[in-house]
Amino acid sequence: MEGIASLISYSRSDNTAVYIQISNRFINLIQQGIIRPGTRLPGSRSLSLQIGVNRLTVSKAYDELVIQGWIESKGSRGMFVCGVIPDIQANPFSEGGKGIRSMPGYPWNPVSYLTTPRISSGYEMFIDEGLPDIRLLPTIEIARAYRAALRSGSYKGTLSYGEVYGSRSLRTILTEFIRSTRGIPLSESDCLITRGSTMGIYLAANTVLQPGDIVVTGSLSYPTADLIFRQSGAKIMRVPIDEGGIQITALEQLCMDQSVRMVYVTPHHHYPTTATMPAERRVQLLQLAREYRFCILEDDYDYDFQYDSNPVMPLASADTSGLVIYVGSFSKSVAPALRVGFVVGPGRLIEAMGKHRRIIDRQGDHLLESVFTRLFRDGEMQRHLRKAQKVYHQRRDHFCHRLQHDFPDLIYFQKPAGGMAVWANFKEVVPLRAIVKQAAAEGFYLPDPENYSSHLNATRLGFASQTESEMDISLARLKELIRRFVP
Ligand SMILES: Cc1ncc(COP(=O)(O)O)c(C=O)c1O
């Protein structure tokens, strides 16, 4: 075929290697039928001269096409487009871009109570439910750690099948980190690295619970944990909450009547109300666990951010009976998309959790874990945590100040001792649900109160992810919206 060279284009400023651009262009031309099966391609010397690249570049492009099965070498006769070319075009069976259709009448039976979370990205403006500011991340150091992890020669281990409990080096570091920051006396075999707290809760529930077991949570609780408990066949029972989290006397009453298997708590900022469980109540809860032999699932999702006092230690730090399963995560302290978390408990239980994990996730992301290891070893992680704690502390103070001064007759709240959000109770005159809908229609994301309760006129308002001037703008917008509904 004459003139093939005139059809081949590439750009030296493109990030893609030139030989890949050339081979992709050939694939395109073959797929479109412009270069037909059986066509003889120009020799590498001739093509390289015509299109102005090194001969080696054309040879590499041809090698790539041979490997992918588009062209074949016929010895001294040259390179030819294959008679049967790989069919990687999409089947044209979906109409109008509607995607894959399921077979008519085929009985998919999704579990009806499962839901997918709403996300704040994609909105022009937002107040989220309490997320970190990923702009604070040491991205250059993270990129450097990725590069080092891939270059070091140890990448062969990192990129292969590894331990289901997580990479050894990160487990060693995390064991020390958890011991020194949380006061939990653990050894490496008491810890499993997860892809975030959600996986920790899932593994704990599926390892400990049998269908019909009773799990107790606060009257308001973390909805994803509810879904996990339901999915494991447990029966959820609720106890009232107050400004100290779940009420222990109510829990004790329940334990007298029922055989409770697990109690799920977020003592370090109750979800969603952000209340911190006082030390006295923690001791009572541990005593009850020993007396009634239930296990405590302690979800400590935002432990790293405490602003007002010395850190309140987790329940797990005072557990001498091995009844607490402790779940933590870097989703809030680093970034939600960098999925690293951990679950801590008695070694035998961790081993059983490893067996469960294996059937849905052969192992974690060992490359990412290697990056975390490097960030800890270089002190970057510790620097980042200190910086974020300081920034979020200032943002909490500014946000609460604004709420107090700009919404005195509309919102009431307790200043949270830590975490990333305020639990905002709106006065009854404020139609919060309608406002959230209207805001979304105008490109302004606000957390839906339905996420937390079907009856309360309250929602979480996150302060960590926005600078002070950004939150001034979004709070002014919220105020303006409320004024439209409550003149
Ligand atoms: C109470 C609570 N537990 C667990 C999680 C899940 O976190 P992760 O991203 O670590 O799975 C969240 C996330 O917001 C949370 O609020």
Side-chain angles (χ1 to χ4, degrees), residues 196-198 201 222 264 266 271 299 301 329 331-332 339:
S197 328
T198 310
I201 300 169
Y222 181 47
Y264 168 77
T266 51
Y271 190 94
D299 176 3
Y301 64 106
S329 164
S331 291
K332 301 292 187 292
R339 307 295 300 160

Side-chain angles (χ1 to χ4, degrees), residues 25-36 85 89:
R25 182 71 188 132
F26 268 112
I27 293 169
N28 226 263
L29 293 167
I30 296 169
Q31 276 181 323
Q32 289 174 29
I34 297 171
I35 304 182
R36 306 199 59 79
I85 56 174
Q89 275 174 323

Side-chain angles (χ1 to χ4, degrees), residues 114-136:
L114 292 179
T115 54
T116 48
R118 209 176 146 226
I119 50 171
S120 54
S121 56
Y123 286 82
E124 187 187 301
M125 190 179 278
F126 63 87
I127 300 178
D128 60 39
E129 40 271 284
L131 296 177
D133 187 346
I134 46 173
R135 293 169 297 185
L136 299 180

